[in-house]
Amino acid sequence: PAMASDEPKAKKPKLSEDEKTDSNLLFGMGNPLLDICAVVDKDFLDKYSLKPNDQILAEDKHKALFDELVKKFKVEYHAGGATQNSIKIAQWMIQEPHKVGTFFGCIGKDKFGEILKQKAAEAHVDGHYYEQDQEPTGTCAACITGDNRSLVANLAAANCYKKEKHLDLEENWELVEKAKVYYIAGFFLTVSLESILKVAKHASEKNKLFCMNLSAPFICQFFKDNLMQVMPYIDVLFGNESEAAAFAKEQDFETKDIKEIAKKAQVLPKVNTKRQRIVVFTQGKDETIMALSFLSGLVQEKPLDQCVRAAHYSANVIIRRAGCTFPEKPDFK
């Protein structure tokens, strides 16, 4: 029988000490970039030979793009970088305590660097940046046309991350050791393979969860050697449909079926045999393929279907907003 509405509702049980999420449980390392977002026109895309929906690294021919974007269009600045955004979203979904997520990356000693530090702090992420003055803080031009967005990343300082100058320092490595879940975007494979391998090997040896994202077709194509050096340590591999297709082509999987690609990626050699690799491929509005979630759920050790629901929920919120921004609290049950 349905409960009468005036009966007292059962109180949520208080979490025991063991069930509380600790700080610094989730560790991310990547390229901290300031996003410069603007709605542009097709002429602008054509001028810089950009595809409407893509992510690329800036070349010499794109140098003027950043200035033109700011001069010609109405721009918004948002703290970005794929890994940093993921850590922020996981922190937002978890809410309490603050600083569940740790983030490492390299910035310049400049205004944009200060903005990135401030935005990480506002999102309650524990950001630890290697700050250098050889290169300015990295930026990413997000050129929006209709439902599409073309990303052009000028890594600059982000490309200067050094294992021995930052990751190896005792107080920083302690934060790595404190974590139980690790997430690094494939984008960081272009910057510091040795840093990724040090973290991946630690996770594998300690039977902790190491996650990586394919990030972009160009990573699967031009950085596949680096990617395949890390692959044996990857417990959870993320990607979207175009990245999965590029990966399958480069690995000679001889299939374009996304479910088959996921299965083949799932059985690639793996060092830590205590964990089966999980492969998760998103397909925009189409179903998410999972071969046996995402970060906030994995950190809180939730069942995988709930992880996927959490991911769909947060993607649904963020896709409607400019940049990687979100309301004060999630409405996720």
Side-chain angles (χ1 to χ4, degrees):
M3 269 171 61
S5 58
D6 55 355
E7 282 189 32
K9 284 208 174 102
K11 279 204 177 114
K12 257 189 165 173
K14 277 261 174 23
L15 284 179
S16 71
E17 283 306 312
D18 293 345
E19 289 177 289
K20 283 183 182 163
T21 309
D22 292 328
S23 58
N24 305 106
L25 266 194
L26 171 62
F27 175 85
M29 181 166 59
N31 301 330
L33 305 173
L34 192 73
D35 289 343
I36 306 172
C37 310
V39 175
V40 302
D41 48 36
K42 188 177 179 302
D43 290 347
F44 185 81
L45 295 184
D46 293 344
K47 179 174 178 180
Y48 293 101
S49 45
L50 302 176
K51 295 178 190 161
N53 213 359
D54 202 8
Q55 51 271 36
I56 62 167
L57 291 177
E59 298 167 35
D60 284 345
K61 66 178 178 186
H62 301 115
K63 287 284 185 277
L65 177 152
F66 292 83
D67 289 337
E68 188 177 336
L69 194 67
V70 174
K71 285 197 185 99
K72 215 169 164 183
F73 303 97
K74 185 174 172 291
V75 299
E76 286 185 13
Y77 294 95
H78 295 284
T83 304
Q84 187 167 239
N85 283 346
S86 299
I87 303 298
K88 272 185 194 165
I89 294 160
Q91 178 67 56
W92 173 66
M93 290 288 284
I94 291 166
Q95 288 282 308
E96 296 283 339
H98 293 162
K99 297 192 174 181
V100 169
T102 312
F103 177 77
F104 285 8
C106 182
I107 57 177
K109 295 179 178 175
D110 51 26
K111 191 181 97 198
F112 284 177
E114 289 303 316
I115 293 173
L116 285 184
K117 284 196 284 190
Q118 180 198 335
K119 293 287 185 189
E122 284 171 8
H124 308 300
V125 167
D126 196 9
H128 293 260
Y129 300 94
Y130 169 46
E131 298 180 40
Q132 49 73 60
D133 47 20
Q134 304 303 115
E135 288 280 341
T137 296
T139 49
C140 179
C143 310
I144 302 159
T145 51
D147 291 337
N148 295 317
R149 54 105 184 93
S150 199
L151 304 179
V152 184
N154 180 26
L155 297 184
N159 205 26
C160 300
Y161 190 84
K162 299 277 184 290
K163 172 177 164 289
E164 62 282 1
K165 292 269 177 72
H166 194 262
L167 185 68
D168 292 346
L169 302 185
E170 194 178 341
E171 65 272 24
N172 291 334
W173 187 250
E174 278 175 6
L175 290 169
V176 177
E177 292 183 319
K178 217 176 154 189
K180 291 189 178 159
V181 177
Y182 302 84
Y183 176 77
I184 299 177
F187 288 126
F188 202 57
L189 288 164
T190 76
V191 174
S192 184
L193 176 63
E194 57 278 14
S195 296
I196 298 175
L197 284 170
K198 183 176 183 181
V199 171
K201 286 173 181 174
H202 166 79
S204 191
E205 283 159 16
K206 300 284 193 255
N207 191 29
K208 299 196 280 194
L209 196 72
F210 184 82
C211 315
M212 191 160 226
N213 201 311
L214 293 173
S215 293
F218 83 83
I219 297 290
C220 305
Q221 291 159 340
F222 306 118
F223 293 89
K224 68 173 171 189
D225 294 348
N226 288 9
L227 175 61
M228 295 319 284
Q229 279 190 58
V230 183
M231 189 60 70
Y233 303 100
I234 299 177
D235 298 305
V236 186
L237 179 69
F238 295 106
N240 66 19
E241 68 275 49
S242 57
E243 293 148 15
F247 182 70
K249 189 166 177 248
E250 292 299 327
Q251 299 300 319
D252 298 322
F253 282 175
E254 296 181 345
T255 178
K256 289 184 176 170
D257 180 322
I258 194 159
K259 290 184 178 169
E260 286 305 309
I261 297 168
K263 282 182 196 162
K264 284 180 185 270
Q266 201 269 328
V267 296
L268 288 167
K270 195 166 180 307
V271 172
N272 177 10
T273 51
K274 294 194 189 89
R275 291 180 185 273
Q276 287 284 305
R277 180 180 294 120
I278 300 164
V279 178
V280 182
F281 288 148
T282 60
Q283 308 185 82
K285 63 185 187 306
D286 297 323
E287 64 177 352
T288 295
I289 305 295
M290 184 161 64
L292 310 200
S293 74
F294 286 62
L295 294 176
S296 67
L298 291 171
V299 172
Q300 295 175 317
E301 296 183 357
K302 297 285 197 281
L304 285 172
D305 59 341
Q306 199 173 335
C307 294
V308 172
R309 275 185 48 241
H312 288 167
Y313 166 77
S314 53
N316 192 302
V317 171
I318 285 145
I319 205 164
R320 298 159 194 267
R321 302 166 69 98
C324 179
T325 59
F326 29 78
E328 190 190 346
K329 285 196 162 63
D331 177 25
F332 177 73
K333 301 286 182 284

